[in-house]
Amino acid sequence: MPEPGNFRVLVATDGSKHAGVAMATVRTFPWPSDTRVRAVVASHTRWSGLRRPAIDALVGHFERVAARARRSLRRTWPNADATVVDALPVEAILGEARRFRAKLIVLGWRGYGPVARLLMGSISRGVVRHALCPVLVARRRRDIRTVVVGVDGSPSARKAAKFLASLKPSRGARIVLVYIVEPVTVPSAGLLPGAVRSALGRQAAQVNVGRMRQGERELRAIAPALEKAGWRVNARVRLDVPLRGLLEAVKASKADLLCVGARGTSGVKRLLLGSIAEGALNRCPVGVLLVR
């Protein structure tokens, strides 16, 4: 039998409507039966620049936020707790995740425009970039019935599938496995003889077919563990630009969640937008689960 509370989930809240979406997602997500949940509230009073009376009022506010979160979570998990950490939000969430030995962090998403994202970032973005465990960024209040999973043959994608196989899906819940093959195309070569252009086109088509077959093999290898866990599994391989293909799959399947592997990056690479994970956070209309 698993140790009680072996699957530990940390949910960040500040009492806002975005945090409310994260709390609602936690209560309805298909967690394993041995799940333990904790809420964390970042008070960050030392960085507020306020004087003592105002700080005391702020501390009282965050204690009330924690108390509400505790009551809400205990409707489902009687042993759930909530803690207030006096630190900046990203630092508070990541620090508590380490102390709690969280296997997943859940938080809401506050969308900003591209300039704001580059200048100041967001709490969810900071947590996603630096967390050592998977992160679920919730966007809407909805049950998780259909999950689109991006598969690309990488270790992080396999970890994402393994993570979903550890959950306890509700009856009829399904996973749509999507392997996107970015097509090899022949660049404009109008000056080349027609025979050469035709040969290049045939070679590109052969490469695309080979990659699609590789994708089919990868999906066949991943699907059984998910089916054994209770998910209904659909699998598809498509030629497309990866992010666009995943977003189209989310739309076509009316998915409630997109799950992708977050390939580890460091230093300047974290600041560069345009990766699948970053693009999904920016553009996906539903929640995003990032697994590394």
Side-chain angles (χ1 to χ4, degrees):
M1 293 292 291
E3 177 188 350
N6 187 50
F7 195 101
R8 299 185 174 206
V9 177
L10 182 72
V11 55
T13 181
D14 59 4
S16 67
K17 65 178 182 179
H18 308 283
V21 171
M23 292 287 291
T25 299
V26 167
R27 291 195 301 270
T28 60
F29 202 79
W31 307 116
S33 56
D34 62 332
T35 297
R36 179 181 172 187
V37 180
R38 173 178 293 174
V40 59
V41 181
S43 64
H44 53 88
T45 56
R46 286 180 290 170
W47 291 266
S48 65
L50 301 174
R51 295 185 177 182
R52 177 51 56 189
I55 288 178
D56 291 343
L58 197 59
V59 169
H61 164 73
F62 287 121
E63 290 289 354
R64 289 190 292 274
V65 170
R68 287 197 298 271
R70 189 180 299 113
R71 288 194 299 270
S72 176
L73 294 174
R74 285 183 176 176
R75 296 172 192 163
T76 305
W77 299 278
N79 65 341
D81 60 348
T83 184
V84 179
V85 178
D86 193 9
L88 294 171
V90 173
E91 177 186 331
I93 295 167
L94 294 177
E96 191 59 31
R98 288 191 297 271
R99 287 187 290 273
F100 187 51
R101 301 194 303 279
K103 289 196 174 182
L104 183 92
I105 298 171
V106 183
L107 66 165
W109 170 261
R110 287 187 173 93
Y112 296 105
V115 174
R117 281 197 293 267
L118 289 173
L119 293 178
M120 63 179 179
S122 69
I123 295 170
S124 49
R125 187 173 302 277
V127 171
V128 163
R129 287 174 176 170
H130 298 285
L132 299 178
C133 64
V135 179
L136 196 168
V137 181
R139 287 183 184 269
R140 299 180 181 178
R141 297 174 185 264
R142 59 199 304 170
D143 293 342
I144 306 301
R145 299 283 299 170
T146 300
V147 181
V148 168
V149 184
V151 181
D152 60 3
S154 67
S156 59
R158 295 188 194 102
K159 286 181 181 178
K162 184 178 180 180
F163 181 88
L164 291 169
S166 73
L167 302 179
K168 188 177 181 181
S170 58
R171 188 171 196 154
R174 67 175 178 142
I175 283 178
V176 180
L177 297 174
V178 183
Y179 192 105
I180 307 294
V181 176
E182 189 161 8
V184 174
T185 57
V186 178
S188 177
L191 298 179
L192 292 176
V196 174
R197 293 199 304 272
S198 297
L200 290 174
R202 287 194 298 272
Q203 291 177 20
Q206 290 171 0
V207 171
N208 291 334
V209 169
R211 290 181 176 178
M212 293 185 74
R213 288 175 177 168
Q214 178 185 345
E216 290 169 354
R217 290 193 294 271
E218 185 73 18
L219 296 181
R220 285 197 297 270
I222 288 175
L226 294 167
E227 292 171 337
K228 185 178 180 180
W231 295 96
R232 288 193 300 116
V233 178
N234 303 120
R236 61 190 66 167
V237 179
R238 57 185 296 171
L239 284 170
D240 207 336
V241 177
L243 179 58
R244 183 177 65 195
L246 286 176
L247 295 179
E248 285 294 326
V250 167
K251 180 179 179 181
S253 61
K254 299 181 180 179
D256 307 301
L257 183 73
L258 171 63
C259 178
V260 295
R263 300 187 182 188
T265 58
S266 61
V268 175
K269 290 184 180 179
R270 283 201 187 100
L271 300 177
L272 300 178
L273 302 179
S275 69
I276 301 301
E278 291 275 6
L281 282 175
N282 290 341
R283 297 174 54 189
C284 188
V286 298
V288 178
L289 172 60
L290 300 166
V291 181
R292 56 167 54 83

